[in-house]
Amino acid sequence: MQRIKIDPKKCTGCRQCEMACSLNHKMDTVNPRRARIRIYNKNGHFLPVIAGPFADAACNTKAMIETEFGLVDMCIICRASCPHKTFFFEPDTGIPLKCDFCGTPPNPTCVKVCNTGALELIEVSEDELF
Amino acid sequence: MDGWRGQLVRINLTKGSSKIEPISEKILKDYLGGRGLAVRIYTQEVDGDIDPLDKKNKVVIAAGGLCGTATPCASIASIVTKSPVTNTIVCGRMQGYFGTELKFCGLDAIVIEGKAEYPVVIFITDSSVSIRPALQYWGRTTKETQRLIKAELKDRWAARESFIACIGPAGEKGVSLATLVNEDYLVTGGVGIGWVLGAKNLKAIVIKGTQDVTVSNGQKCLQAIFSLKNRFNASPFTREKLPKYGNAFLLDACLKRGVLPINNFKGIAKELNGIDENNIERITHRRACFSCPIGCVRTVREKDREIVGLDYETVASFGYLCGINDLDDISEIRFLCTEFGLDILNTASSIACAMELYEEGALKDMELPFGGKNIISLLKQIGKNKGLGKEVGKGGSIFANSLNRPHIFMGVKGNAIPPFDPRGLWGLGLHMATSNFGAYHLNGLTVIEELFNIHEKVEPFLVEEKPEFVKKIQDMTASLDALGICINALFALKVNNILPIFDFVFGYKIDIEELLLVGERIWNLERFFNLKAGLCQSDDTLPKRLIEEPLNGYTCPLEEMLPIYYKERGWDKEGKPKKETLERLGLCKG
Ligand code: SF4
Ligand code: SF4
Ligand code: SF4
């Protein structure tokens, strides 16, 4: 089974993955707000987050996570498109966005366009996933 | 409209009003955007003889034509105004996310006119503009200002997506060397723009856009992006050197070529003084502007602050021209310049000037030998416009003049010469003498070819060939600036590699001649404005030291190259564009 591996340490914050994702999902349109991957800037460190499932209500975890980049709000790293944050919603229609892995078999545009190795398509076995 | 948005917003600070206006397709096609569009709008609306600090002066910001279309390396926006330092038109190069965000606001350009009564901030959200008081930010450093503005935005998620360009205390206090900062990046090349904005009482511009940019063929565009990416990975410069060291790898190349100047151009470096690419790589991390697969920005990450942009310009001008051989000090200097909003090249040059004056015994107020530690306190004084800093902050030209030693200032038209010695790089020498913004290298990066011969073989010391070569590079850079493509892309690409993307983005084809013609048009328009501003042929010159004092047996033979250059450009002997040249470029009245 294939998955996208994210290595924030390598990410330069070029946001080319956002651009490519939106270009691939709405015809002839570039708009990072339509992308299913977003890059967060945390004090100059860049954290790529790929949109996961839609949540119709916000969770009440609201935790801070300690990472090597310092304390990061969990809502930032969380992949859900949830009403608490304005990310992963189409700006004009409000439709929640979710990464579709760019088709079957997976052909992720974001991985193809990333030039730094921050995004990588890897093979994992089912056992490793859980 | 594909690629462009076809709109500008005109903001009048005196009245506090704003208006969206259309931009005609012809203008966009003739000038492409970015520097071209900004120069065209500016020169059309402002007279050459205007006082730059008058409220009638305007400031135009335009996003590069290809910004926001996912084209690799297209991230540069241009900010154009007449500078009070050079008395010419100047164009600042805004890296980072600002230009692209402007496109997502549905705009190609912002025109700022008038003068606010009290300090203000402009908020632009999807073509709607609000102007709010900014007293609480006045006097704050750039980072602090950005933090406060973001903290005051109600929606913290929106704050994450807002991008801010602002001036620092230097711009507010009318320091000549002031420029602006967009996000974490210092704007280069726009000496005095910070002062102009400060005189308009404009502290910051905050933009956030959520609109689409459409391109004419998205799938083909993606393919073109992948193939450009492969090209970047095929060149050793963009695959290895730039990502690893930033453009600081030029240090080594310049040293080997004997063109790395030290101590205010009094000599050249014989060896590196500890400021070298490996040390820079050791203390920095990598970062990129929008859409850029190269990622050449080197940043120092400390616990609670980030110092962005330890580039060649910074390390060579402070490290060698001022002789500071401690990289930590240079990071601190870069940090202070960003905080105060001071132009790197000109600040370094003014300080180097002061250092030479000190060594000559003409300056006694502060102990300032080359490499001296007092530089940091001097820099703080410049930023606060106090003490000796007040004098040095007027710019090297005025400062050296005030002590009756004008020849010590190493600059052209009031703008400082970047740390490359023109005596070994004649093309650069000619470029800087004729550059419309005063000495500046990023609007005609002849260095790439002269040092590395990437695309064509350039004879280093051949008077006859230089003018044609310089003109070509100047035109090429102007058109790339108009497209918003970073000049570093030239390390891997030829200009004709970018041409296919025109069809996929804008929906029409263009050939290389037409593209260079756009560049030539921009260049002539700027020249025309400068002539109206009172510049003349005698301003196309270099400091005496570079023309008269030989280095390795060479001086820069400017006198011989200039007439050939004028002819090449279709200008008369006084350097004025001839009528037929203007007609050929479609610049005659109309
Ligand atoms: S895999 Fe496809 S849909 Fe998912 S984030 Fe990447 S480009 Fe977007
Ligand atoms: S393309 Fe890669 S390096 Fe660039 S922002 Fe996306 S993940 Fe980071
Ligand atoms: S090459 Fe460097 S300066 Fe140019 S766009 Fe890329 S990261 Fe920015």
Side-chain angles (χ1 to χ4, degrees):
Chain A
M1 181 186 287
Q2 287 178 309
R3 284 288 182 269
I4 296 174
K5 182 177 150 219
I6 300 175
D7 183 353
K9 271 205 222 142
K10 289 189 183 152
C11 178
T12 57
C14 71
R15 298 174 65 195
Q16 187 74 330
C17 46
E18 296 180 357
M19 306 290 267
C21 180
S22 70
L23 203 49
N24 202 29
H25 284 87
K26 183 163 186 227
M27 213 174 74
D28 303 342
T29 303
V30 194
N31 186 349
R33 272 104 196 153
R34 288 183 195 283
R36 291 123 210 256
I37 176 168
R38 297 305 306 272
I39 309 297
Y40 297 90
N41 182 344
K42 169 74 194 170
N43 296 343
H45 300 272
F46 296 96
L47 314 173
V49 179
I50 295 180
F54 165 67
D56 48 13
C59 72
N60 45 21
T61 314
K62 305 287 178 294
M64 298 294 279
I65 300 180
E66 188 160 342
T67 67
E68 53 189 293
F69 316 127
L71 279 180
V72 178
D73 185 345
M74 199 177 91
C75 291
I76 287 178
I77 315 182
C78 171
R79 298 179 49 205
S81 53
C82 106
H84 175 63
K85 60 181 181 193
T86 49
F87 286 96
F88 302 134
F89 290 97
E90 272 199 341
D92 43 359
T93 59
I95 296 173
L97 298 165
K98 178 174 181 291
C99 167
D100 58 10
F101 229 3
C102 290
T104 26
N107 183 20
T109 321
C110 54
V111 174
K112 282 195 284 177
V113 87
C114 179
N115 202 22
T116 61
L119 305 177
E120 212 181 322
L121 193 64
I122 53 162
E123 191 70 39
V124 286
S125 69
E126 299 260 338
D127 316 343
E128 272 177 276
L129 272 178
F130 300 103
Chain B
M1 204 181 285
D2 288 336
W4 297 295
R5 309 308 311 272
Q7 297 193 112
L8 62 83
V9 62
R10 184 178 297 281
I11 300 170
N12 189 319
L13 293 174
T14 315
K15 295 190 202 132
S17 63
S18 70
K19 196 164 97 208
I20 302 279
E21 289 174 12
I23 309 176
S24 78
E25 198 167 333
K26 178 160 187 330
I27 291 185
L28 288 172
K29 283 195 172 162
D30 279 354
Y31 294 91
L32 296 178
R35 174 167 154 204
L37 183 63
V39 165
R40 152 78 209 222
I41 297 173
Y42 184 78
T43 51
Q44 203 76 17
E45 299 186 5
V46 178
D47 289 331
D49 53 5
I50 195 159
D51 170 10
L53 299 172
D54 192 82
K55 65 170 187 259
K56 288 208 190 86
N57 191 15
K58 303 186 184 185
V59 177
V60 185
I61 304 176
L66 287 173
C67 281
T69 63
T71 310
C73 276
S75 61
I76 312 290
S78 297
I79 173 164
V80 167
T81 191
K82 183 176 172 184
S83 162
V85 181
T86 60
N87 261 317
T88 64
I89 193 165
V90 289
C91 168
R93 180 174 179 273
M94 302 171 85
Q95 289 171 280
Y97 304 138
F98 198 89
T100 334
E101 201 64 20
L102 196 57
K103 280 282 194 63
F104 295 131
C105 285
L107 301 167
D108 282 315
I110 309 176
V111 182
I112 300 163
E113 39 187 55
K115 175 183 175 187
E117 250 170 74
Y118 46 83
V120 292
V121 183
I122 297 176
F123 286 81
I124 302 179
T125 313
D126 283 346
S127 323
S128 77
V129 178
S130 68
I131 302 172
R132 301 181 202 161
L135 273 169
Q136 67 272 42
Y137 314 125
W138 203 250
R140 308 260 183 182
T141 61
T142 54
K143 241 205 176 105
E144 185 74 0
T145 308
Q146 300 199 10
R147 195 183 60 76
L148 286 172
I149 292 179
K150 288 200 169 175
E152 266 180 40
L153 287 176
K154 278 193 204 78
D155 181 348
R156 71 191 171 103
W157 298 103
R160 287 201 153 266
E161 293 197 294
S162 302
F163 296 98
I164 302 173
C166 64
I167 58 168
E172 296 166 11
K173 298 210 167 78
V175 178
S176 307
L177 305 172
T179 181
L180 69 161
V181 168
N182 83 86
E183 305 138 60
D184 305 320
Y185 301 89
L186 251 177
V187 172
T188 48
V191 61
I193 297 187
W195 188 6
V196 174
L197 292 176
K200 290 191 175 308
N201 271 333
L202 177 58
K203 177 73 181 171
I205 306 172
V206 186
I207 59 174
K208 171 178 181 293
T210 58
Q211 297 184 9
D212 297 338
V213 170
T214 55
V215 295
S216 82
N217 189 337
Q219 285 307 320
K220 284 256 175 63
C221 215
L222 265 179
Q223 295 312 323
I225 292 166
F226 294 142
S227 75
L228 283 179
K229 186 187 135 192
N230 291 340
R231 268 184 200 280
F232 283 120
N233 290 340
S235 151
F237 293 104
T238 44
R239 187 189 59 234
E240 242 179 76
K241 295 265 188 190
L242 281 167
K244 231 166 144 188
Y245 313 116
N247 62 355
F249 77 88
L250 288 171
L251 281 173
D252 208 35
C254 286
L255 178 82
K256 289 201 181 109
R257 190 64 179 274
V259 290
L260 180 61
I262 51 168
N263 299 355
N264 201 24
F265 289 87
K266 279 209 297 198
I268 46 157
K270 299 276 186 297
E271 58 186 1
L272 295 179
N273 61 5
I275 310 289
D276 59 33
E277 52 187 38
N278 293 321
N279 281 337
I280 290 169
E281 195 208 351
R282 193 170 46 79
I283 67 161
T284 55
H285 292 82
R286 179 179 170 200
R287 188 172 169 168
C289 305
F290 204 109
S291 283
C292 180
I294 304 176
C296 78
V297 179
R298 302 303 302 183
T299 86
V300 182
R301 290 174 183 163
E302 286 170 6
K303 200 154 173 284
D304 47 357
R305 64 176 188 181
E306 193 193 7
I307 305 164
V308 176
L310 226 52
D311 49 10
Y312 176 82
E313 285 77 3
T314 311
V315 293
S317 54
F318 284 102
Y320 291 89
L321 285 182
C322 301
I324 310 293
N325 56 10
D326 181 341
L327 210 45
D328 290 336
D329 282 349
I330 295 186
S331 327
E332 183 64 30
I333 290 170
R334 173 85 198 189
F335 178 73
L336 287 173
C337 283
T338 316
E339 285 291 79
F340 289 123
L342 291 168
D343 184 78
I344 286 286
L345 290 171
N346 279 281
T347 308
S349 167
S350 295
I351 294 179
C353 208
M355 287 174 160
E356 188 170 346
L357 287 166
Y358 170 80
E359 300 218 323
E360 283 200 352
L363 181 77
K364 301 208 169 57
D365 310 15
M366 190 187 258
E367 201 175 319
L368 257 187
F370 283 108
K373 291 274 176 198
N374 270 338
I375 184 166
I376 301 224
S377 53
L378 178 59
L379 202 62
K380 285 184 181 153
Q381 287 186 4
I382 295 178
K384 294 178 183 147
N385 209 14
K386 277 193 193 135
L388 178 63
K390 199 168 181 168
E391 300 306 312
V392 180
K394 286 181 182 153
S397 165
I398 295 178
F399 178 58
N401 250 330
S402 70
L403 295 174
N404 293 326
R405 283 177 173 75
H407 59 279
I408 293 210
F409 169 62
M410 300 310 274
V412 180
K413 305 184 177 98
N415 205 348
I417 295 193
F420 300 98
D421 201 312
R423 285 170 287 193
L425 299 165
W426 288 1
L428 187 73
L430 178 60
H431 162 69
M432 287 191 300
T434 54
S435 155
N436 292 320
F437 313 147
Y440 179 52
H441 58 308
L442 291 178
N443 63 343
L445 204 47
T446 57
V447 180
I448 296 184
E449 299 297 333
E450 287 191 287
L451 284 179
F452 304 109
N453 291 315
I454 294 182
H455 304 312
E456 51 184 307
K457 181 109 187 64
V458 186
E459 291 296 331
F461 301 113
L462 204 61
V463 169
E464 294 76 32
E465 274 181 14
K466 289 286 168 186
E468 189 195 342
F469 159 73
V470 169
K471 169 178 181 278
K472 197 169 134 211
I473 298 272
Q474 287 178 335
D475 292 349
M476 199 151 88
T477 320
S479 47
L480 286 186
D481 280 350
L483 288 172
I485 293 189
C486 172
I487 188 103
N488 285 341
L490 284 184
F491 279 107
L493 302 183
K494 287 187 173 189
V495 180
N496 43 13
N497 298 138
I498 320 170
L499 299 178
I501 219 153
F502 258 81
D503 196 10
F504 312 143
V505 170
F506 300 124
Y508 72 99
K509 288 198 173 65
I510 189 170
D511 60 28
I512 180 105
E513 275 79 36
E514 285 171 86
L515 190 67
L516 289 181
L517 207 64
V518 173
E520 196 175 352
R521 194 174 290 133
I522 299 169
W523 199 271
N524 278 279
L525 206 57
E526 290 166 352
R527 176 80 183 181
F528 206 65
F529 181 88
N530 283 350
L531 291 171
K532 281 195 284 177
L535 248 74
C536 54
Q537 192 235 342
S538 61
D539 291 302
D540 289 344
T541 176
L542 285 175
K544 251 202 191 136
R545 184 171 285 169
L546 304 178
I547 301 181
E548 288 170 10
E549 297 171 19
L551 176 95
N552 298 337
Y554 291 109
T555 57
C556 187
L558 190 64
E559 301 258 291
E560 293 161 51
M561 292 191 286
L562 257 188
I564 315 179
Y565 174 84
Y566 285 166
K567 207 162 146 226
E568 198 64 47
R569 275 238 172 260
W571 295 350
D572 63 15
K573 287 201 180 62
E574 263 116 54
K576 293 197 177 100
K578 287 185 192 158
K579 193 149 181 282
E580 57 260 33
T581 311
L582 294 179
E583 262 162 19
R584 181 168 59 85
L585 298 169
L587 288 177
C588 270
K589 263 290 155 240

